[in-house]
Amino acid sequence: MTPPFLDLPQRGGKPRQRGLTHVIDRGLSLAEVDGMLEVAGDAVDIVKLGWGTAVVTQNLGVKLARYREHDIPVVLGGTLTELAISQRRVDELVGWLRELGIGHVEISDGTITLPHSEKLALIERLAGEFTVLSEVGSKDDTRIMAPYVWVEQIERELEAGAWKVIAEARESGTAGIYRADGEVRMGLIDEIAHAIAPERLLFEAPQKEQQVWFVQRFGLDVNLGNIAPQDVLSLETLRLGLRSDTVPPAQPDERPAAPERTQR
Amino acid sequence: MTPPFLDLPQRGGKPRQRGLTHVIDRGLSLAEVDGMLEVAGDAVDIVKLGWGTAVVTQNLGVKLARYREHDIPVVLGGTLTELAISQRRVDELVGWLRELGIGHVEISDGTITLPHSEKLALIERLAGEFTVLSEVGSKDDTRIMAPYVWVEQIERELEAGAWKVIAEARESGTAGIYRADGEVRMGLIDEIAHAIAPERLLFEAPQKEQQVWFVQRFGLDVNLGNIAPQDVLSLETLRLGLRSDTVPPAQPDERPAAPERTQR
Amino acid sequence: MTPPFLDLPQRGGKPRQRGLTHVIDRGLSLAEVDGMLEVAGDAVDIVKLGWGTAVVTQNLGVKLARYREHDIPVVLGGTLTELAISQRRVDELVGWLRELGIGHVEISDGTITLPHSEKLALIERLAGEFTVLSEVGSKDDTRIMAPYVWVEQIERELEAGAWKVIAEARESGTAGIYRADGEVRMGLIDEIAHAIAPERLLFEAPQKEQQVWFVQRFGLDVNLGNIAPQDVLSLETLRLGLRSDTVPPAQPDERPAAPERTQR
């Protein structure tokens, strides 16, 4: 559609295995879902109904139907799975997911303490029926894990059948892979990426500066999660170098009189 | 509607006297009003058209009609009442409220300086015709009142006929009952709650961390105000323990192999 | 429509030459455009499709048509012009603007380094066909310009044919005319305003505190830019003294028993 007046990198189309944009729906109305799809539907790979909102939102059925019409998979928040574990109602959760026609499930332990062997057993069990996104890292910013523990947990969860492993941040973009001020724990990310192929990871990156950092570190095909609906288009421009923060430096052969990008 | 796969606390239905969610409408379109009601209308107890927006918004009539259809009371911002006081146009304001069919009024002195006796006289006068929400506390974070003054003012405003007394914060969640960084003045709240029944109070709590604090301190039936429309569903999950921040600890009899909630 | 129960200052109607509200559209859906116009369309003077979003958004054609129906001029983000300059595709950009029926263009150098003579030449060339908004100041907060350089550049860009010159801030409200924490560089603004008529300037002011500062400094008819769609109504109330931050002090002759505005 767009006249090719700029050289831009190529983005793969849906369904994607990498370059995923994982959107958090904190309680969208149907009109807001429609708006997001009208503006940037081609960039929405998966939608999470945040934490336990699915239990309370009054438009669940029609919203799930709308996402289904557009072939966008939906996953419920990991906190809901944790509540089901905590209340010994995993079978009931599974029954509800079947009833709702939801094919993805998030398995996390950001809120409760769960022996890793039990988490792996649950991943293995649910991976038989669902596409599993497991999540590593705590929402508790006083519970720091050494990088080798992150790597080990991620590897074992992938072996147990997880499709992708999510590197946790709070919805606000703190804790987990971020410091309390939202800054990326770069050393941690380096160690994880040294051991595990980035396309198996999905980094939660709700803040723009975090998205910029990951696009610059891993390229346009990095998998990013907890993206606000109103930021999907912005993230797409960050991937493509259409926003100041990720505009590529001018090529040397374009220079003599041509402009040079400022350092930042 | 929701399959009972989790044990959740009970929320009372509308119209409520406690557990109120008081929403601030900073200029919603009709479609946004409809979206909020579609998603979480059962949790919207009262809507404030923030500060003087009612005078300028181009969709006032149709918006008021929409809220009326859904039996949601509307109140105009206290700043508007203060302007009417300051310009000696209280009668004209009352006439306008009648014309608009608005049955609630907010009486505050966060912006102007008003002798407390005059404020009480106005509460008493308007309480004859309107449901009065009076507000205590200044938007000016250099004007600190001692806790006993808060208590005395709140008690006298209730005696004068206020339905609820609002404990002031700025829309950004600072000043009044918060420090400049948004942190709750806990000692102040303790002194107020020691003297006055919490169901007579409505705490302005626009930020999530503030909502978490009040739900943990007073339980799910605390009255909270200045809630952004897009946060109504989130607040409902906080009340019900469906979001990480307020998930209840696991019960002892559920434990042996079962998970335990992390400390935070 | 509004009953005249308050004394309010007069705002000029559209099309305006001063008192402009320049809105940033980061990716609105049609329903969101309609909502903004329903609520505060009379206050929307010009809309910018932020940075390179126009290239990616999937609803470009219908959205441009909608703005056109409402006689609201649209301008694409300056970053897009900078990319065209950088890739030597200015002619192609101009062709695309013609095709889209867009009559305004932003010429900036916030991201790339561009000799000022080249920028002036481009302003002069495009001013023949388009209404040019040129922008002074960098998104790079380490690239500080002395006030006299700001003045000189602005004067020469106006001479070259710019309709208004935009004083740059990042979309987040930092860099350019602001410090890293968003505070206004007041001395810089004073020097600029001493030399250049404020109606020729458009100050980017995305944050409320910045809008308050400019309205208090220059009055209700200051031109402000990068206003979020959901803040247009709030800005209008700030201009008119209907929000606490800009409520005018009570008049002396109104006082005896009447209230006095608190200091802030």
Side-chain angles (χ1 to χ4, degrees), chain A residues 2-3 5-8 35 37-42 230-231 233-234 236-237 241-245 247 254-255 257-264, chain C residues 26-30 51-53 55-59 79-80 83-89 92-93 96 110-113 118 139-140 143 170-171:
Chain A
T2 302
F5 86 96
L6 287 177
D7 288 331
L8 295 175
L37 300 178
E38 170 196 318
V39 169
D42 294 348
Q230 67 271 26
D231 292 338
L233 187 67
S234 166
E236 205 61 16
T237 62
L242 284 166
R243 191 165 187 181
S244 183
D245 313 77
V247 165
E254 295 180 337
R255 288 226 205 129
E260 182 179 325
R261 189 175 163 244
T262 58
Q263 296 301 319
R264 50 182 65 240
Chain C
R26 305 167 74 262
L28 295 181
S29 66
L30 271 191
W51 58 99
T53 55
V55 173
V56 185
T57 190
Q58 297 170 215
N59 65 352
T79 300
L80 206 57
L83 279 165
I85 295 170
S86 178
Q87 295 191 7
R88 301 175 173 278
R89 306 277 168 83
E92 289 81 352
L93 171 64
W96 197 48
T111 300
I112 62 172
T113 300
E118 288 186 28
K139 290 185 197 298
D140 181 353
R143 220 172 51 161
R170 304 192 70 170
E171 196 229 337

Side-chain angles (χ1 to χ4, degrees), chain B residues 26-31 51-53 55-59 62 79-80 83-89 92-93 96 99 110-115 118 139-140 142-143 170-171, chain C residues 2-8 35 37-43 208 230-231 233-234 236-237 240-245 247 250 254-264:
Chain B
R26 304 167 75 259
L28 296 180
S29 66
L30 270 192
W51 58 99
T53 55
V55 173
V56 185
T57 190
Q58 298 170 216
N59 65 352
V62 288
T79 300
L80 206 57
L83 278 165
I85 295 169
S86 177
Q87 295 191 8
R88 300 175 173 277
R89 308 276 169 83
E92 288 81 351
L93 172 63
W96 198 48
E99 201 178 307
T111 300
I112 60 173
T113 300
L114 185 66
E118 290 186 27
K139 291 184 198 299
D140 181 354
T142 65
R143 218 171 52 161
R170 304 191 70 171
E171 197 229 338
Chain C
T2 300
F5 87 96
L6 287 177
D7 288 331
L8 295 177
L37 300 178
E38 170 196 317
V39 168
D42 293 349
K208 192 192 87 169
Q230 67 271 24
D231 292 338
L233 186 67
S234 166
E236 205 60 16
T237 62
L240 295 172
L242 285 165
R243 191 165 187 181
S244 183
D245 313 76
V247 166
E254 294 180 338
R255 290 229 204 127
E260 183 179 325
R261 190 174 163 247
T262 58
Q263 296 301 319
R264 46 183 68 240

Side-chain angles (χ1 to χ4, degrees), chain A residues 40-87:
Chain A
D42 294 348
V44 176
D45 293 290
I46 181 167
V47 170
K48 172 165 75 176
L49 306 190
W51 58 98
T53 55
V55 173
V56 185
T57 190
Q58 297 170 216
N59 66 351
L60 183 62
V62 288
K63 188 153 70 171
L64 291 177
R66 189 63 52 99
Y67 284 127
R68 196 174 301 119
E69 284 166 32
H70 291 268
D71 291 321
I72 293 177
V74 169
V75 64
L76 306 187
T79 300
L80 206 57
T81 312
E82 297 187 53
L83 279 164
I85 295 170
S86 177
Q87 295 192 6

Side-chain angles (χ1 to χ4, degrees), chain C residues 138-204:
Chain C
S138 174
K139 290 185 197 298
D140 181 353
D141 56 11
T142 65
R143 220 172 51 161
I144 309 287
M145 292 196 309
Y148 81 90
V149 181
W150 281 80
V151 169
E152 197 174 280
Q153 290 194 1
I154 293 170
E155 285 177 340
R156 298 190 62 189
E157 296 185 13
L158 288 170
E159 285 159 21
W163 171 54
K164 307 282 179 192
V165 175
I166 300 170
E168 161 79 5
R170 304 192 70 170
E171 196 229 337
S172 54
T174 57
I177 53 175
Y178 303 102
R179 301 185 208 288
D181 64 357
E183 201 198 336
V184 180
R185 294 185 198 274
M186 303 184 194
L188 171 62
I189 300 299
D190 281 345
E191 292 219 34
I192 294 174
H194 179 72
I196 296 154
E199 60 260 36
R200 304 304 304 275
L201 301 166
L202 194 154
F203 301 102
E204 292 190 339

Side-chain angles (χ1 to χ4, degrees), chain A residues 2 16 23 35 41 57 59 65 73 77 83 114 171 180 192-193 195 202 204 217 229 244 249 261-262:
Chain A
T2 302
R16 296 185 183 90
V23 175
T57 190
N59 66 351
L83 279 164
L114 184 66
E171 198 230 334
I192 294 173
L202 194 152
E204 292 190 339
R217 172 70 176 75
S244 183
R261 189 175 163 244
T262 58

Side-chain angles (χ1 to χ4, degrees), chain B residues 45-255:
Chain B
D45 294 290
I46 181 167
V47 170
K48 172 166 75 175
L49 305 191
W51 58 99
T53 55
V55 173
V56 185
T57 190
Q58 298 170 216
N59 65 352
L60 183 61
V62 288
K63 189 152 72 171
L64 291 177
R66 189 62 53 97
Y67 284 127
R68 197 174 303 120
E69 284 166 33
H70 291 268
D71 291 320
I72 293 177
V74 168
V75 64
L76 306 188
T79 300
L80 206 57
T81 311
E82 297 186 53
L83 278 165
I85 295 169
S86 177
Q87 295 191 8
R88 300 175 173 277
R89 308 276 169 83
V90 172
D91 289 343
E92 288 81 351
L93 172 63
V94 166
W96 198 48
L97 295 178
R98 282 178 191 147
E99 201 178 307
L100 297 174
I102 292 180
H104 287 61
V105 67
E106 180 177 322
I107 300 175
S108 59
D109 58 344
T111 300
I112 60 173
T113 300
L114 185 66
H116 202 233
S117 56
E118 290 186 27
K119 190 180 177 191
L120 292 171
L122 187 60
I123 292 171
E124 201 165 342
R125 177 186 151 203
L126 296 190
E129 177 173 356
F130 298 92
T131 301
V132 174
L133 292 97
S134 72
E135 185 175 77
V136 169
S138 175
K139 291 184 198 299
D140 181 354
D141 55 11
T142 65
R143 218 171 52 161
I144 307 287
M145 293 195 309
Y148 81 89
V149 182
W150 281 80
V151 169
E152 197 174 280
Q153 290 195 0
I154 294 171
E155 285 176 339
R156 298 189 63 188
E157 296 184 14
L158 289 170
E159 285 159 21
W163 171 54
K164 307 282 179 193
V165 175
I166 300 171
E168 161 79 3
R170 304 191 70 171
E171 197 229 338
S172 54
T174 57
I177 53 175
Y178 302 103
R179 301 184 206 289
D181 64 357
E183 201 197 338
V184 181
R185 295 187 199 271
M186 302 186 195
L188 171 61
I189 301 297
D190 281 345
E191 292 219 35
I192 294 174
H194 179 72
I196 295 154
E199 60 261 36
R200 303 304 305 274
L201 301 166
L202 194 153
F203 301 102
E204 292 190 339
Q207 300 177 7
K208 191 191 85 169
E209 294 311 320
Q210 298 168 346
Q211 297 159 17
V212 168
W213 190 88
F214 278 103
V215 168
Q216 289 180 329
R217 172 71 177 75
F218 291 105
L220 82 168
D221 270 340
V222 66
N223 300 323
L224 296 178
N226 272 8
I227 305 300
Q230 67 272 23
D231 292 338
V232 173
L233 187 67
S234 166
L235 173 56
E236 204 61 15
T237 62
L238 287 173
R239 293 185 190 274
L240 295 173
L242 285 166
R243 191 165 187 181
S244 182
D245 313 77
T246 59
V247 165
Q251 294 308 307
D253 65 313
E254 294 180 335
R255 289 227 206 132

